[in-house]
Amino acid sequence: MPRDEDLTPTVCTCLALRQASRHITQFYDQTLLPSGIRTTQYSILQRVHQHGPKTVNELAEQLVMDPSTLTHNLRPLLKDGLVVLQVGKDRRMRVVALTPEGKAAHRRARALWLRAQAEFERVFGSDEAAALRALMSKVTRSELPSGGIPRRKP
């Protein structure tokens, strides 16, 4: 953990968001450690669990992630047999689906994730945590250019 004097507020919004993101990711990763699933992997498993099989492009868009980054993050899940890539309607499309092992891994990780959520809200307060999520959602949906990655209107 850096010293407080090393974490002086910055005028750069991107740096502030990335620092906060890394800090929270490290906390969630530590909490999820017993499940063998990292936060990035849990997000994928949760999205597919919640919304059903999705094409790589659909899933990447929902996670606000470049498809090639998603493919990179899928590799360990594929290797561990937690997800499969099925052929979509168009034979060139690949659909991400959970395996029975993936459903079990999601269940194990979910309990730990709920613990992390509760601890975050305990430390920061439920209202503040909800306000933070709402603000981050607003940032994600903003009209900021995204390097050619199209964003859907809400």
Side-chain angles (χ1 to χ4, degrees):
M1 179 75 159
R3 299 177 311 222
D4 283 345
E5 60 267 16
D6 293 336
L7 294 175
T8 56
T10 177
V11 297
C12 179
T13 303
C14 185
L15 175 59
L17 283 168
R18 290 176 64 88
Q19 286 174 322
S21 176
R22 285 189 290 269
H23 182 64
I24 292 170
T25 298
Q26 290 166 3
F27 163 69
Y28 274 76
D29 278 346
Q30 186 64 35
T31 305
L32 290 174
L33 194 62
S35 74
I37 301 293
R38 297 182 59 98
T39 304
T40 51
Q41 296 166 328
Y42 177 78
S43 297
I44 294 167
L45 294 178
Q46 173 60 24
R47 181 58 66 155
V48 176
H49 170 79
Q50 188 174 19
H51 297 284
K54 296 285 177 202
T55 67
V56 170
N57 286 342
E58 289 169 334
L59 189 55
E61 184 176 310
Q62 290 178 355
L63 293 170
V64 190
M65 186 181 285
D66 182 85
S68 63
T69 302
L70 175 59
T71 300
H72 174 78
N73 288 332
L74 283 171
R75 284 188 189 124
L77 296 172
L78 288 161
K79 182 174 114 349
D80 293 342
L82 304 182
V83 298
V84 291
L85 287 178
Q86 302 168 334
V87 176
K89 293 177 187 174
D90 177 338
R91 296 189 60 73
R92 295 170 294 174
M93 290 182 160
R94 295 294 177 254
V95 175
V96 180
L98 293 180
T99 64
E101 295 83 4
K103 291 176 184 176
H106 173 264
R107 259 191 316 280
R108 286 190 305 275
R110 176 87 177 156
L112 297 168
W113 178 86
L114 287 168
R115 188 180 307 161
Q117 282 290 104
E119 178 64 7
F120 185 88
E121 292 201 6
R122 185 192 68 75
V123 169
F124 288 96
S126 295
D127 291 343
E128 290 85 354
L132 178 62
R133 288 189 300 273
L135 180 58
M136 292 299 100
S137 180
K138 186 176 179 180
V139 168
T140 302
R141 287 177 163 75
S142 73
E143 294 296 322
L144 291 171
S146 56
I149 301 170
R151 298 275 185 248
R152 285 190 179 161
K153 300 279 185 203

